[in-house]
């Protein structure tokens, strides 16, 4: 039987703390908060997310997303776009500068993970982390 510091819950809590600290460290170097960096990373090449979708993914209120978008927009890292299918919906779109910052953040994160996890079977780890994240998201 696992003790209090064994099992999935404490393992995920510890992983969450370590990843959060790493996100925060890299985000600070780019003059971002960790949530702003996370928001930028959610703005992929596919369909831009709405403010509601961003709030749900980030686990915060839409007013928090609005504040983050305001600050990132003032810095020229993203823009607001009205959804052509529903003019009531606003989507966040990265600017060229925002895409460059997102790319830099991800590159620095990859570099730090490679440096801190030498000898790890990356392919296997990516599969496990992806499967775990997908399963957790399905039950959100």
């Amino acid at each position: 039987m696992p003790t209090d510091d064994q099992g999935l819950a404490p393992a995920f809590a510890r992983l969450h703390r370590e990843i959060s600290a790493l996100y925060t460290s890299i985000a600070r170097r780019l003059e971002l908060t960790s949530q702003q960096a996370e928001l930028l990373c959610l703005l992929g090449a596919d369909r831009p997310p709405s403010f509601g979708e961003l709030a749900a993914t980030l686990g915060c209120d839409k007013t928090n997303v609005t504040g983050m978008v305001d600050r990132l927009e003032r810095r020229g890292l993203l823009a607001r776009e009205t959804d052509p299918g529903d003019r009531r919906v606003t989507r966040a779109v990265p600017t060229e500068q925002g895409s460059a910052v997102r790319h830099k953040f991800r590159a620095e994160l990859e570099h730090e993970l490679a440096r801190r996890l030498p000898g790890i079977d990356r392919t296997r780890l990516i599969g496990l982390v992806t499967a775990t994240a997908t399963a957790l998201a399905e039950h959100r």
Side-chain angles (χ1 to χ4, degrees), residues 23-38:
Y23 258 67
T24 299
S25 172
I26 296 168
R28 280 185 184 150
R29 285 186 288 216
L30 299 173
E31 299 179 3
L32 298 168
T33 66
S34 59
Q35 268 203 316
Q36 288 172 337
E38 194 172 356

Side-chain angles (χ1 to χ4, degrees), residues 92-113:
V93 181
T95 61
E96 191 173 312
Q97 183 183 357
S99 292
V101 169
R102 181 182 70 223
H103 176 76
K104 184 168 178 56
F105 179 86
R106 285 184 173 163
E108 287 191 31
L109 183 59
E110 284 287 342
H111 173 77
E112 281 297 318
L113 290 170

Side-chain angles (χ1 to χ4, degrees), residues 19-84:
I19 292 295
S20 291
L22 187 54
Y23 258 67
T24 299
S25 172
I26 296 168
R28 280 185 184 150
R29 285 186 288 216
L30 299 173
E31 299 179 3
L32 298 168
T33 66
S34 59
Q35 268 203 316
Q36 288 172 337
E38 194 172 356
L39 189 150
L40 276 177
C41 286
L42 292 172
L43 306 180
D46 299 342
R47 182 175 144 261
S50 70
F51 285 27
E53 291 165 340
L54 286 170
T57 302
L58 293 170
C60 65
D61 191 79
K62 283 196 320 190
T63 57
N64 294 51
V65 169
T66 300
M68 282 191 285
V69 168
D70 287 346
R71 288 183 287 283
L72 291 168
E73 188 175 39
R74 279 194 298 271
R75 289 187 56 189
L77 300 177
L78 62 77
R80 288 174 161 87
E81 222 175 63
T82 303
D83 185 304

